Amino acid sequence: MKHPYAQLAIALVSGLVFGFGLSLSGMLNPQRVQGFLDIFGVWDPSLAFVLGGAVVVATFGVQIMRISSHPVLEPRYHVPTNKKIDAPLILGSAIFGIGWGLGGLCPGPAVALLSMGSVKPTVFVVCMLAGMQVHDRLLRTSQTSDPPIDLQLRR
């Protein structure tokens, strides 16, 4: 049984908590991210602490998932089944890292920065979405194991 309004509400609350956490930790500042990537200059380790905190929280989520039969609002968990490290994974990771390093923005902070109306994050997000569209239209295979969750509200 689908609960589209509850799913949407949880997605919105989750996004707000995520955005607040990014802002509170200073990760909306591209100089912080670039400082973390500047290992031969003035290295800023703050991103490592944010990532470490995320791993701790995610670990609890994975443990809850393992002991429960299904999520509260879905009949099953949507977990990737592909566990192999292949060329598309490595190439995609490298392209992601290059974009992250050049722009100083990760997708989450970039989307959060859209609310501030700045040009740089807007250009970044538009280009990121364009890249996703290029991938989906030209390169995506029909081998995806799990379609995206449909959050369209039906009447």
Side-chain angles (χ1 to χ4, degrees):
M1 182 168 161
K2 293 275 186 176
H3 304 278
Y5 292 108
Q7 289 174 328
L8 184 59
I10 288 173
L12 289 171
V13 169
S14 298
L16 287 170
V17 169
F18 180 72
F20 181 76
L22 285 173
S23 183
L24 182 65
S25 66
M27 290 300 117
L28 296 180
N29 182 351
Q31 284 76 31
R32 274 254 162 103
V33 174
Q34 289 168 342
F36 176 76
L37 298 173
D38 186 12
I39 57 174
F40 298 113
V42 183
W43 186 62
D44 179 0
S46 57
L47 179 59
F49 291 103
V50 172
L51 293 173
V55 168
V56 170
V57 172
T59 300
F60 285 113
V62 169
Q63 296 307 316
I64 291 169
M65 184 184 79
R66 287 185 176 166
I67 62 174
S68 63
S69 60
H70 62 83
V72 174
L73 299 175
E74 282 288 319
R76 67 182 181 90
Y77 284 102
H78 300 273
V79 179
T81 57
N82 182 2
K83 295 183 181 186
K84 59 184 176 166
I85 298 174
D86 55 8
L89 175 66
I90 293 170
L91 182 61
S93 300
I95 292 169
F96 175 86
I98 290 167
W100 184 28
L102 289 174
L105 293 168
C106 195
V111 170
L113 282 170
L114 288 177
S115 66
M116 299 176 112
S118 301
V119 173
K120 184 178 176 182
T122 303
V123 170
F124 181 90
V125 170
V126 167
C127 291
M128 177 181 70
L129 293 172
M132 292 164 72
Q133 286 298 311
V134 167
H135 170 268
D136 284 354
R137 297 197 189 280
L138 299 179
L139 302 175
R140 189 174 220 178
T141 64
S142 60
Q143 298 174 355
T144 57
S145 62
D146 202 17
I149 296 172
D150 179 17
L151 286 180
Q152 290 184 349
L153 305 177
R154 301 181 204 277
R155 293 179 185 231

